[in-house]
Amino acid sequence: MHFSRQILTFTAAAVLLGANEPQTTLRSVVNGVSFQPALATVARGGILAVFGEELASAYTVAEGLPLPVSLEDPAVEVLINGVAAPLFFVSPTQINAQVPWEIEPGRAEVVVRRGGTDSATMPVVVADAALSLIRHDGSSAPIAQRVAGPQDPAAGPASESPALELGSPGSRPAATGEALDPSAAVAAGDSIVLFATGAGETTPSIANGNAGASGEAYALATPQRAYFGGIPVGNPTAEVSSELVGVYMLTLTVPELAGSTEVFHWVSGGQASAGVLGPVAAPTARYLAVPEAAAAAERIDRSDLNPYFVALAPAIDEAEGCYAGVQLLDFRRDSTTSLAECLLPSFQNASDPARFYRPFEAANNSGVLAALVPPEDDLEGGATNRMLLVDSAAGSTATVSLARAAVRLQPGEQGSRDLRLERSDGTGVRDVVDFSGTAVGDSDGLVLLPSPLESGELTRVVAQGNANFAGGYRLRFLAPESVEEVASARAILFDRFAAPVAQAVFPDGWAPIAPPRRLNAQGNPVGGSSLAPVTAGFAGNTTAYVVARKTDGSQDAVVAFSVGLPDEEPAQADSTTGQSVTISASVTPFPAGSFAANCHVQVRWQRIPLTQTIAVAGAGEALNEFADPRAGNLCASDRLVLFDTRTAEVRTVSVPSTDAGAGRLDVALKGALSSYLYFGDGVRETAFRASEKLHVFDGASETFSEIDLPDGTGVPFNNFLTQQVSASGRLIALATGGNPRTTGRGTLPPYPGNRGLLVVDLPDGTATHLTLPEGLQRAIPGTNRMVQDGRRMFGMIPLLGRVFGVFRRPNNPGGSAVVTWDVATGTATEIALPENGYSVVQPFSTGGGGSAPFLWDYSARTASFAFGVYDQSGSLLSIGIVGP
C-alpha cells in the first residue's frame, strides 16, 4: 500500500509546526473503501480516510457502537462542514471516519481537529449514493462469501462471521474469516454475499455511528440492481449490516449463461460499482463467424454491460435513409440473427451526420440496445412512433409502439437505464420511456442551437468550449464575420428553446483573444476560425470564463460573465419561464509582463477541480505568430497563469530552469488528469520529434516536477495519441522514437507507437515502457472520429490493470495484431487470430483506395474490447471479443 506524493506531500514549513498540529494537504481525503484519490466522492453514511502527519498520538480504535466522534486525550475529531464525524480509528498518519447522514450533497470541507488545533481544510464531494464494493487489496475481486451453490449444497454457508474489517493505518478494508479467495471460481446457481458502502439512505433511518439493528428490515431509498456479465441477476437483495457501520451486505445468485471471470456490476440508483469474480488469466479471444450478409459491415455496437453480444451494421443506405441488414451476434448462444427492420439514425437531424449518425443507443446500466425504426404511417420531419429493443441477455428483440412521435433517441440521464425520446413538436422535451416503450415521465431537454449559430450581424463564433448551465441555459460568444471587428463580440445567453434571452458586451477595451490561424503551403489560413478558450464555472457556479486581450494588445485577462438565472433582479424576460435573467461582466488582468501563449490555434488552459482554478499556459510576451511544427517551431510556454474562480485572484508560477537552460512547456502536448497538469518538453530540438520528457504541475501544491521517459521513448505531440485514465492518475501514450520523416508531403512526425506503449503515473512521477513483441512494427492509432466516439485502438482497462493496442506488422507477412500487457508485470500477450485471420484492420483492397472503417469497440465498464478479423484479401471473417 502506498500513497506517494499524491497524498503525503508536506512542505518544509509544515514540518516546523507544533507536535500536536495535524498536518494535511488538499489531497489528504480519499474514499475510505475504493481509495479514490482527491477530489474523492463519498456517500452520506459512507467511509472516508484522511492521511497526513501528527493526526493523533497513537493508533486508537473505537470500542463498541455507536462510534465516538472523538478519540484520545486531547481529543481528535474530524469535522465535515463543521459536523463531527463518527470515528473508526485514529492514528498519527491515518484516520477513518463515517460521513454523517445530515451532510448535504455537494462539495464539502473536512478538517482534523486535535486538542483544539485545526488542520488545513481538505475538500471532498458528498453524494446521496456512491456505491463502493469492498475488494481484496490489489485485486479487482470483491470480498465475497459463498452462501450456497450447486457444487456442494450440504456445505452450507462458508462463514458465519464478518468477512471484512474496516481498516487500519495504510490499508483498505480487508478480508478476514472464510471469505472466498480472490481467484475462486463461481458458477451459475451460486449464491454469494458481497460487501459495499455508499448504497444510500434507508427506511427506517440509521443514526450516525451505528450499524443496523439486528432483525430489523431496512428498505433502501434507491432501487438496487445487479448484473453478471451484463445478464440481470434475479431478485438481488441489499441488507444493512448489523455489525459493521456503513456497510451493506449484497446477496445474489449467479444467473444462467454467466460464471467465473465475468465483470459484476451492482447498481444503486444510477450509480454502479464493478468487480471481477473468478480467476483472471492471460487474455484470449472468443470468435464468432460473420454471416455473408454482414461482409460489408462498417460499424460495431455493444450494450453498456454485456460484452458478449454485438450488433454489426453496414453504412447507411442513402436512398432509404436507414441501416439495412443489421446482424446481431450472440457469443454466449453461438447464434446470429438478421434484423428485418431498417434502423433509422438515432439522431436523424444532426448537424454533423458523419459524427453523430449511428443505428443504436445503449441504455445505461443494462444489456439493452435501442434503435428507432420507420413509422407505421408517414410522419413529417423524420419522426417515428416505433422503437426496436434488443435484449442482449435474453437474446431477443421486440418492436414497440410509442405514444408520441419522436425525432431523436438518447440514453437516460444520470445513469438511469430508461431511454429518452425527443418529441417531434420542436420543444426539445423528451419522453422518458422504459423498456416496454411506456412513458414513465418526461425531461425538459433543450432545443439544439442552430448551426451555424448567428444573432443579427453576429455570425462568427469566437470562443472554444461550451458554457452550459442548469435549466438548459447556454452562453455563447459571437462577433461579426470580419476578424477586424472582434472587439464587437458579445456574450449571448440562450434558453432551452434556443431563444436568446440576454446578452452582454465585453468590458470596455477588451475582446476575446484571437489565436493565429495555421497557414497552408499557399500561405492561406486553414481550419476553423480562431477561437479563444471558454469554460463554465465549477459545480454550483453560474459563471463563464473567457480569455481576453486588450484591444491595443498590451495586456491579457480573464473575463468572467456571471449569469443570474430566473428569480434574480429583473432584466430581460426568459422565454422558458417568463422570469428574468441577467449577465454581468468583470475583468481580472494578468500580472504585468504575463500573456497567454498565443502561438497555437487555441490558447491552452486547463481546469483544476481540486482548487477550482483555471491554469493558462503563459509567456512573457504577447505572441501572435503561429508556431508551425513543419518549420521546426514549438509553441512553448514558460509559466502558468492561475486564475482562482472563488476569489477572482490571478498569479503566475514559472517553469523551473533545467540543465539545458530555461524550462519550457510544449503547449501542443498538454492535458489535465486528477488535478495534475502535464506538458511536453518545449526545448526539444525538433518539433515533430516525440517529447522524451514530461513537465508535471501539481495543482494542489502548485509546484512543477519532471518525468524523464525511459529507453529513448517519447510521447507524440498530438493529444489524440494519448489516453487519460482519471481514476488512477495514469496517462497511456503511444511510445514513439526516432527522427521525423521526410516525405513528398514535407516533414512528418515519426510513426506513432513504433516503440510500443508508455504508462505514465503522474502522482508517482514514474513512467513504464511496454515494449513491442517481436514481429510488430508500429501502432495503428485509429481515426479522429473513433477518438471522438471513445473508441481508441489503444488504452487501459483499469479494472484489470491491463493495457492494449493494435499494431501493424511489416509488409512481409503483413497484417495487424492486438497486443495486451499486464501493467504490474509488463508481460505482453499477442491475441491469437483464428485460422486465415490476417488482420484486425481491413487491408486495402487490390484496387487500392482509402482506408476502410475500423470494426472496433472498447469498453472500460465491461473490461473488454471487440474487433473484426479479416483475411488477406480484406474479407471480414469473424468478430473477436477479449474479456477479463
Side-chain angles (χ1 to χ4, degrees):
M1 180 76 250
H2 66 85
F3 277 86
S4 66
R5 69 182 185 195
Q6 177 173 320
I7 294 172
L8 298 181
T9 301
F10 298 96
T11 64
V15 177
L16 300 177
L17 297 174
N20 291 332
E21 188 163 348
Q23 301 166 28
T24 61
T25 75
L26 287 172
R27 287 200 169 91
S28 287
V29 174
V30 304
N31 185 299
V33 172
S34 68
F35 277 18
Q36 175 198 8
L39 186 60
T41 299
V42 186
R44 296 192 292 169
I47 302 172
L48 61 76
V50 182
F51 288 84
E53 294 180 359
E54 299 290 348
L55 303 181
S57 60
Y59 174 43
T60 306
V61 180
E63 296 181 1
L65 299 180
L67 297 176
V69 294
S70 68
L71 286 170
E72 293 193 350
D73 185 14
V76 175
E77 301 172 279
V78 172
L79 306 178
I80 305 175
N81 284 353
V83 179
L87 303 176
F88 293 91
F89 71 84
V90 299
S91 76
T93 58
Q94 181 181 347
I95 298 174
N96 276 17
Q98 183 189 30
V99 177
W101 288 101
E102 62 265 34
I103 301 298
E104 290 294 323
R107 188 175 175 118
E109 304 294 345
V110 181
V111 169
V112 175
R113 178 170 294 167
R114 183 182 179 194
T117 301
D118 289 354
S119 71
T121 299
M122 302 158 282
V124 68
V125 175
V126 175
D128 279 322
L131 194 75
S132 293
L133 288 172
I134 300 175
R135 299 191 184 97
H136 291 278
D137 196 14
S139 169
S140 59
I143 294 173
Q145 291 176 312
R146 182 179 285 117
V147 177
Q151 291 83 356
D152 185 5
S159 173
E160 296 291 347
S161 63
L164 70 158
E165 58 183 16
L166 292 181
S168 56
S171 69
R172 288 180 171 88
T176 63
E178 298 183 36
L180 291 175
D181 185 89
S183 61
V186 295
D190 275 352
S191 290
I192 56 178
V193 177
L194 300 96
F195 302 86
T197 63
E201 291 186 285
T202 64
T203 302
S205 60
I206 304 171
N208 292 333
N210 272 311
S214 180
E216 179 75 67
Y218 292 89
L220 270 72
T222 54
Q224 308 293 310
R225 294 178 282 124
Y227 296 84
F228 233 105
I231 299 174
V233 170
N235 301 316
T237 61
E239 299 175 319
V240 176
S241 171
S242 60
E243 300 182 18
L244 298 166
V245 175
V247 173
Y248 302 80
M249 302 171 66
L250 313 178
T251 304
L252 61 99
T253 299
V254 180
E256 293 296 324
L257 297 180
S260 277
T261 320
E262 296 262 25
V263 177
F264 162 79
H265 290 88
W266 189 282
V267 185
S268 179
Q271 305 298 316
S273 186
V276 177
L277 288 167
V280 177
T284 58
R286 300 188 193 185
Y287 291 103
L288 195 58
V290 170
E292 186 175 342
E298 290 192 2
R299 182 177 176 89
I300 191 169
D301 285 285
R302 293 189 296 166
S303 70
D304 194 31
L305 297 185
N306 186 352
Y308 297 116
F309 192 97
V310 168
L312 289 179
I316 194 168
D317 185 318
E318 297 292 347
E320 298 295 330
C322 56
Y323 298 88
V326 173
Q327 305 289 317
L328 304 178
L329 278 61
D330 190 332
F331 281 72
R332 286 194 171 92
R333 296 178 176 87
D334 196 26
S335 65
T336 303
T337 302
S338 180
L339 292 179
E341 297 276 13
C342 197
L343 308 185
L344 298 172
S346 62
F347 188 6
Q348 295 184 70
N349 301 317
S351 59
D352 184 1
R355 178 177 177 184
F356 291 107
Y357 270 22
R358 51 180 172 264
F360 289 102
E361 296 291 346
N364 292 322
N365 291 320
S366 82
V368 171
L369 287 169
L372 297 176
V373 293
E376 296 168 337
D377 302 308
D378 289 337
L379 296 175
E380 295 181 356
T384 184
N385 56 5
R386 296 199 307 150
M387 179 173 64
L388 175 75
L389 296 169
V390 179
D391 186 336
S392 69
S396 62
T397 63
T399 301
V400 299
S401 297
L402 304 173
R404 270 187 288 259
V407 293
R408 184 181 182 186
L409 170 66
Q410 291 178 282
E413 295 176 310
Q414 298 179 343
S416 164
R417 65 172 177 169
D418 295 323
L419 299 161
R420 291 178 293 159
L421 291 153
E422 183 177 335
R423 297 175 189 171
S424 59
D425 58 10
T427 63
V429 174
R430 288 157 171 77
D431 289 312
V432 180
V433 301
D434 61 19
F435 295 158
S436 70
T438 302
V440 294
D442 58 40
S443 166
D444 282 344
L446 48 86
V447 176
L448 296 176
L449 295 175
S451 180
L453 184 63
E454 59 184 42
S455 178
E457 78 284 1
L458 307 178
T459 58
R460 187 165 62 95
V461 177
V462 291
Q464 172 67 35
N466 294 330
N468 300 328
F469 306 110
Y473 292 95
R474 291 154 285 176
L475 192 66
R476 300 295 184 265
F477 295 86
L478 299 176
E481 192 60 35
S482 171
V483 175
E484 289 72 22
E485 295 185 67
V486 68
S488 301
R490 289 175 177 261
I492 302 176
L493 185 71
F494 297 86
D495 65 14
R496 72 176 186 86
F497 293 108
V501 294
Q503 56 182 280
V505 298
F506 275 72
D508 189 38
W510 296 91
I513 197 168
R517 299 181 69 184
R518 182 171 65 86
L519 303 181
N520 61 17
Q522 290 73 43
N524 299 317
V526 296
S529 181
S530 294
L531 301 172
V534 63
T535 183
F538 296 87
N541 188 331
T542 55
T543 303
Y545 304 93
V546 62
V547 66
R549 176 162 288 177
K550 271 192 174 180
T551 51
D552 64 5
S554 63
Q555 195 169 23
D556 288 355
V558 172
V559 177
F561 287 87
S562 298
V563 178
L565 295 180
D567 295 326
E568 298 280 332
E569 289 298 316
Q572 292 174 268
D574 171 17
S575 66
T576 306
T577 64
Q579 295 178 309
S580 62
V581 294
T582 61
I583 307 176
S584 60
S586 60
V587 61
T588 302
F590 287 8
S594 288
F595 297 83
N598 197 32
C599 47
H600 200 266
V601 291
Q602 295 173 20
V603 172
R604 301 300 195 176
W605 69 353
Q606 304 284 354
R607 292 158 58 89
I608 306 177
L610 195 63
T611 57
Q612 300 184 64
T613 299
I614 297 170
V616 185
E621 58 182 325
L623 305 174
N624 291 294
E625 297 294 327
F626 177 77
D628 194 337
R630 295 169 301 178
N633 297 322
L634 282 169
C635 182
S637 166
D638 64 0
R639 71 197 68 188
L640 290 179
V641 181
L642 304 178
F643 175 78
D644 191 322
T645 61
R646 299 162 300 180
T647 64
E649 295 177 346
V650 66
R651 57 195 179 279
T652 61
V653 179
S654 297
V655 183
S657 299
T658 66
D659 293 341
R664 305 275 284 176
L665 311 177
D666 180 354
V667 175
L669 172 55
K670 56 84 187 179
L673 192 58
S674 298
S675 292
Y676 289 93
L677 311 185
Y678 64 88
F679 299 86
D681 187 16
V683 296
R684 62 187 193 270
E685 295 178 357
T686 307
F688 272 138
R689 187 181 178 92
S691 180
E692 296 179 3
K693 176 189 294 184
L694 291 182
H695 299 268
V696 180
F697 180 74
D698 183 334
S701 64
E702 298 188 356
T703 57
F704 276 99
S705 61
E706 295 177 0
I707 301 177
D708 290 312
L709 304 178
D711 304 327
T713 60
V715 176
F717 78 99
N718 190 332
N719 278 17
F720 283 170
L721 306 180
T722 61
Q723 184 186 16
Q724 299 175 355
V725 187
S726 297
S728 66
R730 286 169 168 162
L731 174 72
I732 312 300
L734 297 181
T736 304
N739 293 316
R741 297 173 289 139
T742 301
T743 71
R745 293 184 294 162
T747 301
L748 297 175
Y751 283 116
N754 59 9
R755 304 283 174 85
L757 293 178
L758 283 167
V759 180
V760 183
D761 191 312
L762 298 183
D764 278 351
T766 60
T768 303
H769 180 204
L770 303 176
T771 58
L772 279 173
E774 187 176 352
L776 297 177
Q777 188 179 47
R778 57 186 170 88
I780 304 174
T783 64
N784 287 355
R785 179 183 172 187
M786 292 179 69
V787 172
Q788 292 166 347
D789 287 346
R791 301 187 182 206
R792 294 176 188 265
M793 299 182 71
F794 67 96
M796 183 174 182
I797 299 174
L799 198 58
L800 304 176
R802 184 180 293 167
V803 173
F804 63 88
V806 177
F807 294 87
R808 189 182 303 278
R809 299 183 189 279
N811 289 335
N812 185 15
S816 57
V818 178
V819 180
T820 71
W821 288 266
D822 182 296
V823 175
T825 64
T827 304
T829 301
E830 183 177 334
I831 303 300
L833 300 183
E835 186 178 2
N836 298 325
Y838 173 77
S839 181
V840 295
V841 177
Q842 187 173 27
F844 291 121
S845 65
T846 54
S851 177
F854 296 120
L855 284 177
W856 176 269
D857 181 70
Y858 152 65
S859 170
R861 284 174 64 79
T862 61
S864 67
F865 47 88
F867 53 91
V869 178
Y870 301 86
D871 64 18
Q872 195 160 356
S873 68
S875 297
L876 181 63
L877 298 176
S878 60
I879 299 296
I881 293 177
V882 176

